[in-house]
Amino acid sequence: MTEKNAKYQKTIAACFVGYIVQAIVNNFIPLLFLTFQSRYQIPLTKITMLVTINFGLQLLVDLAAIAFVDKIGYRAAAILAHLCAAAGLILLTVLPELFADPFVGILLAVLIYAVGGGLLEVLVSPIVEACPSDNKEKAMSLLHSFYCWGHVGVVLLSTVFFAIFGINNWKIMAIIWAIVPAVNTVVFAKVPIAKLNTEEDSGLSLKQLAGKQLFWILMLLMLCAGACEQSVSQWASTFAEKGLGVTKAIGDLAGPMAFALLMGASRAFYGKYGDKINLERFMISSVLLCIASYLLIALVPIPFIGLIGCGICGLSVGILWPGTFSMAAASIRGGGTAMFALLALAGDLGCSGGPTLVGMVSGHFDDNLRMGISAALVFPLLLLIGIFWKRKNLLTPQAPKNPEKQ
């Protein structure tokens, strides 16, 4: 490792923690839904809106980031993101008691930390991409594995805390989680941050990106990557509860946590050995494994086998999101913040659209989740087509003459 590369190791580590922060803001509050219902008498129909609003605002932040992140700089934006995340978690413990309707206070806290979560999704990947490193794909895959470890940590540590100290002390746990973004704010104020684009290569405009067929192929890949991941992840707990006849707490551990662990393991594996593995081939193999896992869930009428299929799915989708980011960075030089923000937007749309399709189709067939997962097969199939389409696009004679400016 060169001295220059070593200087940026603290920056990369701060970005790893940044993804843990995003995992905290996305996965802590769902653990409190029943508590909010009983303590504040808020109906579950309103409480579950918090997840929709959280991700909806993150989508808007993805879009808005295109306009202001390059103007204020990555450092200022990263500090703002962490401050919003910390403030939202802290205010979650204060605002419900300050309003006649506690839901309003909870919603305001969620809106504040959702801004932080949305900004982190846009910022962290390009910051790591800009850091000098020996293998960008390895760094990107390892980076995204930390969201998985964060997800596992939030569920596991919070569950242990509640078991020992009681769910009534959830505000203490919220403050503890708020310490993570607070500390990382200080770190981001000090670490070196490299520029993603040089002065001569200031980054492509939205019009320039939209004019590239390759960009739209990558957007399709990103949308399908998000859908492949969440179509099963969001229903893993239900599979565990119904298939194994266990409680929700055990179902969460056997379903979503196992999914997140295996997804993180896949990303960590590529993060360690990625310099010896062809990314495109690894993604194709992963998509084929994803298709196999979907078929296992949908066609084998044995609940326990379906749960194993959920775990295999987590293993298979691990590389799809970070791999697409790496493909984009390598294929479209100078894509800049706009490209990363739009890819994050496409991924979030897939994360929302995949589970929605599964739920709608399942509902149409009397809540048959297997039928819903069967319908979601369209996403890994489109992803596979998209990878081969991308390869053809790069090889076609009509491609730009200078591939470095592609």
Side-chain angles (χ1 to χ4, degrees):
M1 183 184 296
T2 66
E3 184 178 345
K4 184 179 180 182
N5 289 10
K7 186 175 77 168
Y8 284 93
Q9 288 306 300
K10 290 183 179 179
T11 309
I12 294 174
C15 289
F16 289 169
V17 177
Y19 258 131
I20 293 176
V21 171
Q22 193 189 24
I24 292 170
V25 301
N26 284 345
N27 297 294
F28 177 61
I29 201 169
L31 302 175
L32 303 174
F33 282 174
L34 293 179
T35 302
F36 290 160
Q37 182 189 32
S38 60
R39 178 164 181 167
Y40 299 118
Q41 287 75 54
I42 304 172
L44 279 179
T45 50
K46 288 180 70 174
I47 291 174
T48 52
M49 284 174 54
L50 296 172
V51 174
T52 304
I53 293 168
N54 175 30
F55 284 106
L57 183 54
Q58 288 192 36
L59 282 171
L60 293 177
V61 172
D62 291 346
L63 274 176
I66 300 170
F68 72 85
V69 165
D70 282 332
K71 292 180 181 178
I72 68 172
Y74 280 0
R75 187 186 307 279
I79 290 173
L80 175 63
H82 285 82
L83 287 175
C84 286
L89 288 166
I90 293 170
L91 290 173
L92 187 63
T93 69
V94 177
L95 293 182
E97 275 74 28
L98 297 183
F99 289 87
D101 183 357
F103 178 78
V104 175
I106 295 170
L107 178 60
L108 286 174
V110 169
L111 290 174
I112 292 168
Y113 73 53
V115 172
L119 272 175
L120 285 170
E121 188 162 34
V122 172
L123 292 168
V124 173
S125 291
I127 289 175
V128 169
E129 182 64 31
C131 290
S133 63
D134 299 324
N135 189 295
K136 300 284 188 183
E137 291 83 2
K138 284 178 60 177
M140 192 67 74
S141 183
L142 192 59
L143 166 71
H144 285 262
S145 74
F146 273 80
Y147 181 86
C148 305
W149 308 138
H151 183 180
V152 171
V154 168
V155 175
L156 186 59
L157 295 179
S158 298
T159 300
V160 171
F161 179 90
F162 297 149
I164 296 174
F165 300 104
I167 192 68
N168 289 333
N169 288 310
W170 66 269
K171 291 185 178 183
I172 296 174
M173 194 70 235
I175 297 296
I176 292 172
W177 286 127
I179 293 172
V180 180
V183 171
N184 216 33
T185 301
V186 178
V187 175
F188 261 107
K190 297 180 178 181
V191 296
I193 296 179
K195 291 185 177 180
L196 187 61
N197 301 301
T198 63
E199 295 298 325
E200 294 79 19
D201 186 14
S202 59
L204 299 177
S205 67
L206 288 175
K207 184 177 180 181
Q208 288 172 313
L209 283 171
K212 292 179 176 291
Q213 185 185 65
L214 181 58
F215 169 72
W216 292 108
I217 296 173
L218 290 163
M219 288 286 281
L220 172 66
L221 293 182
M222 202 67 194
L223 186 147
C224 292
C228 286
E229 181 180 313
Q230 294 299 318
S231 291
V232 168
S233 176
Q234 291 293 307
W235 298 102
S237 180
T238 304
F239 263 103
E241 289 178 65
K242 289 188 175 181
L244 301 178
V246 296
T247 64
K248 175 165 175 54
I250 300 299
D252 287 343
L253 295 177
M257 187 176 290
F259 184 97
L261 275 171
L262 287 167
M263 184 166 68
S266 172
R267 291 174 175 177
F269 172 81
Y270 191 84
K272 184 173 179 60
Y273 301 107
D275 54 339
K276 302 179 180 67
I277 302 171
N278 179 280
L279 175 61
E280 190 175 278
R281 291 175 187 168
F282 190 62
M283 286 186 68
I284 290 171
S285 300
S286 295
V287 175
L288 292 174
L289 184 62
C290 180
I291 292 171
S293 71
Y294 273 47
L295 291 173
L296 199 63
I297 297 168
L299 301 180
V300 179
I302 302 173
F304 184 72
I305 298 299
L307 187 60
I308 292 175
C310 290
I312 293 173
C313 184
L315 188 68
S316 71
V317 300
I319 192 60
L320 302 184
W321 186 294
T324 303
F325 265 127
S326 294
M327 280 185 172
S331 303
I332 302 181
R333 298 296 182 183
T337 305
M339 181 181 73
F340 280 100
L342 289 171
L343 287 174
L345 175 65
D348 282 341
L349 286 173
C351 288
S352 175
T356 299
L357 176 65
V358 172
M360 289 175 62
V361 173
S362 299
H364 184 73
F365 289 94
D366 297 323
D367 293 334
N368 187 335
L369 279 174
R370 298 186 188 280
M371 294 302 296
I373 297 297
S374 297
L377 265 169
V378 65
F379 297 116
L381 289 172
L382 280 175
L383 185 51
L384 191 62
I385 292 169
I387 293 173
F388 286 108
W389 186 14
K390 170 190 167 291
R391 178 189 291 178
K392 182 180 178 182
N393 183 275
L394 287 176
L395 295 176
T396 181
Q398 284 74 38
K401 291 182 180 179
N402 184 0
E404 291 300 317
K405 293 295 182 182
Q406 179 172 238

